[in-house]
Amino acid sequence: MITTEEKTTLKEIIANYSIASDAKDVQAHMQYYAKNGYIDGGMKSKPKNAGMEEDLAQMFAMEGTLKRHFAMNHRFSKDQDAIV
C-alpha cells in the first residue's frame, strides 16, 4: 500500500519533471530518467546513457513554446499500489 508520504513524493516528482520540461531544461529533465531510460512515442530518444541529451535538446528546440506539463490530479489504484 502506498503511504500518504509516498503519494506526496510521487506528485512532487511529477511536478518537478513537468517544470523542467516546460522550461526546456535538458539537464533537469534528464535527472528523472534511469541511466538506460529513454523517450518513446511520437518523438524518440536514445537512452540517457547513450545520447539522450542531444536528442532531448533537439526535441525541445523543435517544440518551440509547447508545454509538456502533466495534470496533477493523479489517482491511485483501489489497492493503493499504482498510479492510474
Side-chain angles (χ1 to χ4, degrees), residues 63-81:
E63 291 176 344
T65 59
L66 176 71
K67 301 295 184 191
R68 296 171 151 258
H69 58 270
F70 296 96
M72 290 305 299
N73 58 346
H74 297 91
R75 295 176 292 130
F76 290 83
S77 68
K78 184 177 179 180
D79 295 329
Q80 300 291 309
D81 60 356

Side-chain angles (χ1 to χ4, degrees), residues 15-29:
N16 289 332
Y17 173 89
S18 297
I19 290 166
S21 296
D22 286 352
K24 311 288 190 223
D25 185 333
V26 172
Q27 293 302 317
H29 183 89

